[in-house]
């Protein structure tokens, strides 16, 4: 693995998380000249412009959900994201519930990113989370992960300078999540977030959690036994100090704990295509970019993102 140049940084975008936020945050009255909604396209481009301007990455990847609900995760935990399935597709991937006006914009978003020259990376059978986990594991340089998904807190690592830029309050008011932030928020080490999520559950992903175990109890278990493996070992250790009622709850949830642990942890070793993730200085395909800007009426959003990319290049 090559050594990074001083000042290099990779920005990894949880792209679907951002374009969903853009769609619901930008009025649907924002449309192309032919009346097609483009609020998610323009909103995402504005997010990219803001992120590049504020964080000055040297490398940038739009991580993609080639499969937002991989079958291998569903096989382990059938409730995984089941409430978000609009249509089951034999052989998958299933169709995710999303507004039609957003679905029509996803190909436009991909086309715009390609024309700009921003690397888009996905992998069969993988969510964007797995792409992010793998690129983070491979990165020789500091990494900032931009997402509204708390599951990715598991990647935070001060020693490797891996942070999450959490979008819960908006791209203009990001929470910079490092190990101290996770410790303050949840009273657990950042590396333990996945184990914590398994124990307390996460309705947004269809994780039921252990009945009767909420944030405080989950954090207490992680603090006392260090990891989910430690908690599971404590269940069978009569001298571990587990209260009888809690021991029974954990024992009854043994199958769930084993399955959910694999479901929640992001892959560090997905098979990804090789791409050039260098932040572009100018659109990689100027003619295609100009055509998209005109046809989709991208206006100020197009101007802002190209200006941000040029300024980013000029600051290096």
């Amino acid at each position: 693995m090559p050594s990074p140049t001083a000042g290099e940084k990779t920005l990894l975008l949880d792209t679907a998380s951002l374009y969903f936020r853009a769609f619901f945050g930008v009025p649907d009255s924002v449309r192309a000249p032919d009346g097609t909604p483009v609020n998610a396209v323009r909103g995402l481009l504005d997010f990219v412009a803001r992120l590049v301007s504020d964080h000055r990455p040297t490398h940038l990847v739009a991580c993609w959900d080639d499969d937002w609900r991989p079958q291998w995760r569903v096989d382990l935990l059938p409730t995984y994201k089941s409430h978000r399935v609009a249509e089951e597709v034999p052989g998958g991937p299933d169709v995710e519930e999303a507004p039609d006006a957003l679905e029509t914009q996803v190909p436009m978003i991909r086309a715009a990113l390609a024309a700009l020259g921003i690397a888009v990376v996905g992998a069969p059978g993988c969510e964007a989370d797995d792409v992010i986990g793998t690129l983070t594991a491979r990165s020789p340089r500091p990494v900032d992960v931009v997402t509204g998904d708390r599951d990715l807190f598991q990647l935070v690592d001060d020693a490797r300078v891996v942070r999450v830029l959490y979008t819960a309050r908006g791209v203009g008011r990001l929470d910079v999540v490092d190990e101290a932030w996770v410790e303050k928020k949840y009273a657990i080490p950042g590396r333990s977030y996945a184990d914590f999520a398994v124990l307390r559950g996460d309705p947004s992903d269809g994780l039921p959690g252990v009945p009767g175990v909420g944030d405080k109890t989950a954090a207490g278990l992680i603090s006392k036994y260090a990891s989910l493996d430690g908690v599971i070992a404590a269940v069978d250790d009569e001298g571990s100090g587990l209260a009888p009622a809690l021991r029974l709850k954990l024992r009854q949830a043994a199958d769930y704990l084993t399955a959910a642990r694999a479901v929640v942890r992001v892959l560090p070793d997905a098979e990804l295509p090789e791409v050039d993730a260098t932040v572009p200085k100018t659109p990689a395909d100027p003619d295609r970019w100009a055509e998209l800007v005109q046809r989709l009426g991208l206006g100020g959003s197009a101007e802002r993102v190209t200006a941000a990319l040029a300024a980013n290049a000029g600051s290096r």
Side-chain angles (χ1 to χ4, degrees), residues 64-74 80 91-93 122-128 130-131 267 270-272:
W64 208 262
D65 281 317
D66 275 16
D67 191 337
W68 68 279
R69 187 175 181 251
Q71 187 60 46
W72 65 269
R73 284 193 165 104
V74 177
Y80 183 63
C126 290
E127 300 177 53
D130 301 311
V131 176
L267 297 180
E271 293 187 14
L272 304 180

Side-chain angles (χ1 to χ4, degrees), residues 40-65:
V41 184
R42 291 194 58 161
L44 181 72
L45 293 176
D46 282 334
F47 288 167
V48 171
R50 179 67 181 266
L51 290 164
V52 168
S53 296
D54 289 353
H55 298 281
R56 299 296 183 188
T58 53
H59 296 74
L60 174 63
V61 179
C63 302
W64 208 262
D65 281 317

Side-chain angles (χ1 to χ4, degrees), residues 30-34 36 38 41-42 45 108 111-113 115-116 283 285-307:
V30 176
R31 295 179 175 253
D34 67 358
T36 301
V38 291
V41 184
R42 291 194 58 161
L45 293 176
M108 304 176 203
L113 293 172
L116 282 170
D285 187 341
D287 292 341
R288 175 64 166 153
W289 175 246
E291 186 272 329
L292 288 168
V293 170
Q294 180 177 12
R295 177 166 58 86
L296 300 180
L298 300 181
S301 299
E303 294 172 5
R304 285 186 286 274
V305 74
T306 53

Side-chain angles (χ1 to χ4, degrees), residues 122-279:
C126 290
E127 300 177 53
D129 287 11
D130 301 311
V131 176
I132 290 168
T134 299
L135 291 175
T136 298
R138 293 178 183 174
S139 178
R141 60 186 68 87
V143 174
D144 281 343
V145 175
V146 185
T147 185
D149 185 350
R150 293 176 298 179
D151 283 346
L152 289 167
F153 292 172
Q154 66 188 273
L155 298 176
V156 167
D157 186 337
D158 288 358
R160 295 190 60 231
V161 198
V162 177
R163 311 181 303 177
V164 169
L165 306 181
Y166 186 46
T167 63
R169 298 187 300 160
V171 172
R173 299 178 62 205
L174 295 167
D175 288 312
V176 178
V177 179
D178 56 12
E179 291 187 32
W181 191 98
V182 176
E183 178 72 34
K184 182 178 180 180
K185 179 74 173 178
Y186 299 107
I188 58 169
R191 65 181 178 277
S192 299
Y193 187 84
D195 291 349
F196 171 76
V198 168
L199 286 165
R200 68 95 188 266
D202 187 344
S204 68
D205 280 341
L207 295 177
V210 177
V213 173
D215 284 21
K216 186 175 180 179
T217 301
L221 286 167
I222 295 297
S223 296
K224 186 171 184 177
Y225 301 108
S227 66
L228 186 56
D229 284 338
V231 173
I232 291 171
V235 172
D236 294 324
D237 178 2
E238 294 300 327
S240 64
L242 269 176
L246 184 53
R247 186 188 303 275
L248 178 61
K249 291 174 182 176
L250 292 166
R251 181 169 284 138
Q252 291 173 336
D255 290 345
Y256 160 76
L257 291 173
T258 299
R261 173 170 48 186
V263 168
V264 172
R265 288 179 179 168
V266 301
L267 297 180
D269 56 0
E271 293 187 14
L272 304 180
E274 292 293 331
V275 298
D276 180 2
T278 304
V279 179

